[in-house]
Amino acid sequence: MTDPLLALRPWEAPEVTSWGRLPMNTVDRRAGALSLDGPWRFQLLPAPDAPVGAVWSSTRVPGAWTMQDTDDLPQYTNIRMPYTEFPPRSPADNPTGVYEREVEVPAEWSGRRIVLQVGAAESVLLVHVDGRPVGLSKDSHLAAEFDLTGVVRAGQRAAVRLTVVKWSDASHIEDQDQWWHGGITRSVLLYATDPLHLADVAVRARRDGELRVDCRVRDAAGALPGGWYVTGELDGLPLAQDTALDRAHEEDGRVSDFLGEVRLRTVVRAVRPWSAETPELYGLTVRLHRADGTVSDTARYRVGFRDVEVVGRDLLVNGERVFVRGVNRHDFHPLTGRTVSPEDMRADLVLLKRFGFNAIRTAHYPNDPALYDLADELGLYVVDEADIESHDHAHEIADDPRYLNAFVDRVSRMVLRDKNHPCVIVWSLGNESDYGAHHDAAAGWVRRHDPTRPVQYEGAAKRGWADPDVASDIACPMYAPLEDCLAHALSGRQTKPLIQCEYSHAMGNSNGTLADHWAAIEATPGLQGGFIWEFWDHGILQRVSDGRPAGRGGAGLYDNGVTAPGHRWAYGGDFGEPYHDGAFVADGVVFPDRTPKPVLYEHRELAAPVRLRCFRHEGLVLANHQHFRGLEWLAAEWELSLADGGTLTAPAELPALRPGETAVVPLPFELPADGGEAWLTLRVTTAEDLPWAPRGTEVCAPQLRLRAAVPAKEEPAVAAAVEVDGDGLLVHPLLTAAPTLSLWRAPTDNDELGGIATRWRSWGLDALVRRPLSVHRDGVSVTVVAEYAGPTGVVRHRQVLTPVEGGLRIDEEAELPEEFDDVARVGSVFETVAGLDLLEWFGQGPWESYPDRSAGAPVGHHSLPVDALFTPYLRPQESGGRHGVRRFTLTAPDATGLAVTLDEPRQVSVTRYRAEDLTAVAHHDELVPRDGCVVHLDAAHRGLGTASCGPDTFVSYLVAPGVHRWSWTLRVL
């Protein structure tokens, strides 16, 4: 007998989106359910129609089989499909997982409705129970439910088989920038309800306190029994039934024997509105009663009262124009792939809150349901995105009628699942799928079903940001140049909010010009923020010995972004896949173990709720940059950093300011009269324990310069003659490599993918040949002139070495030819003896910073071990730099070492690696640190930009041709 599920061949039938699957709804059935998570019998077949064998292995559910020691390993592609078949076809070699286990159906479920829920399966799910076909589902990131009431019997065992087909027609619209996996990636459960049950509950809670609850009631037996009714209460206060709705049903003929509808209402006086800053939640309970008053079903919700609307070119939350400080987030874990626990999701959101983010875009599919509960609780706005991306074949699919049902099905099921979450403020129709009739159809359904939220879709931008007749209420482009955004906002033609769905690409050492973007956003009406791409570096923990994922047994094998010996963070190509896109999957603001990258400190400062605006004679201007609350939840301390006098602290009392208000506060210190450089920092922390931060967690550290530096003059001193070798290179007891000119850096991901490094190599910047021209002694000074030659240009370098009190001053000049119009750096590089392991400096820090990413590194006195200065981006590259350094010491444990004073704030890096060391390897486990330190002192250093995906850095952060001058003093401690 032919299996009707296999007869449909759903892996190549785009018109088939489901069979036997129950409608999506908001009623959470996790409480009281029977969890089927854990070990299942498992076979991995070569194709969906291959026969099931007699030999079974074991696998864990939830979990991708690609992460559990099968021969089908993870594969990463960005745009390209991992096979050549054109939609809707799938390859003949199509891994198919067969999962089986027995389930003891509880005896007390006799007479009840029994439902199987599979949280997520990639990409086609076929369900059989006791050999009988039950149903099928597509849509890899939403749950599928199946009614087993007529298939299983209470008190007896049932054999459940879940067959998951990896590739299908649906894969062509799940072509997202992430690892390809296969398997059951979210929890599986079995639950029971009374035959008379709540089929759906829709909650609408407005910021004025008006609450409306629409309930739909069904009975598994068919016709509804007489006398049933629904009650509700909000934090113990009863809701009233809206009798007008019942009368309307009678008048318009919508009364049904099989579907009941009830509307409950109330108005909450003195309501506490929900927002990302003030995530106030109320407890709602809805009960369905039989005629005798007994309860047949119950649903519980946490309700947030808030309004979202687009008015003109502003997105308003509770009537306020809010800045959207967002990040894109995948469901990801380095040990389990797509399976993420609630504890891990909480850790994700807690970290985002601590670093100033207030919004998430669920790129590019609905996330695990637990994430929305957490966003409601912790306070994060969510752009909820449907599981649609057809990147490789976007144009063909957008208007292909075979895929129309799939688009509308995926968008509508997302809305039906998540509509009661106050955190969801925008519905997104998907990502990078061109723009066609399917998007208009899906948008029409959403606007009819849920008029309380705007709809967005990036692909509609092809019709223009201002076009009012597209399926997007928000202009949400990707990586639009800032000048284009400003021009649009100032053009007079803007018709809707401009909030970029992706605007700063965090691949490797990146996110340059973030501060410039936010300065423009905060100053320009019509610009309202955007979402950084993305949260995670998607590095999978890999055992180097066999090239396989470390899997669940890998816990404890990584820390602070670094893996233990024998393991590494794998990216595209590391699992032997023939088609891949390399390290492009490593583009997050955190490492795979959730260690923050330096950019997070930059973002935290740009999102600071408290700002120091300026220093006037009467005091400091302090501002509250929040939208909805005062400063009472914060505490603070003043910190005065003196270039020549250490650091002073004093308690700070924050003024009572409403959102947007400013106040003048007195200067907390009397400045010393010595005239040295002075910086005032306000260390702002949480004043009490919060769900996302314990008391004392630093929130921001705004800073003002109170006094500029006075240039110091150093007179030549009578000392031992400067020693140079025959090529004019300095000979020094603490240096193993003399100071030479450097124009090269180990290319960042932005340098490589943006094509910048290709130009540098064509100029020979990675292998310039030094040719000494002259060595001249003039009294105690030595002047060395040399040329650094490449295939296309010559740089003339002049170095003057002069003894000064206690050391040596080095004055340098480099003249870059016109063809070197954009080099990586201009500066000096030298290497030290071993044993100098501690860097102490006055300048920006303590974390890594660069010319176009330095707003989050306050000026002060900082100290770190040399090994802690390096940032282990997944692909080794330029890292570890500190911007604005005035002076530093490199010392051994006995306090001996060297000291460097710079003529003005400069870019400095101290690591264990030469640029060629970093460029020569693909992973950090291949790097061999040097015993000494490699020190760069840069007169100018190129900005980072985001050119791997998006605009490069601004012209103001480029290193131009012409003459560059710098000087520094080297002393022995």
Side-chain angles (χ1 to χ4, degrees), residues 37-53:
D37 291 352
W40 285 59
R41 295 189 300 276
F42 180 72
Q43 291 188 34
L44 187 59
L45 307 180
D49 48 6
V52 177

Side-chain angles (χ1 to χ4, degrees), residues 829-844:
V829 60
F830 60 86
E831 297 179 27
T832 74
V833 297
L836 306 184
D837 298 331
L838 179 67
L839 180 74
E840 296 179 272
W841 75 99
F842 182 72
Q844 294 189 250

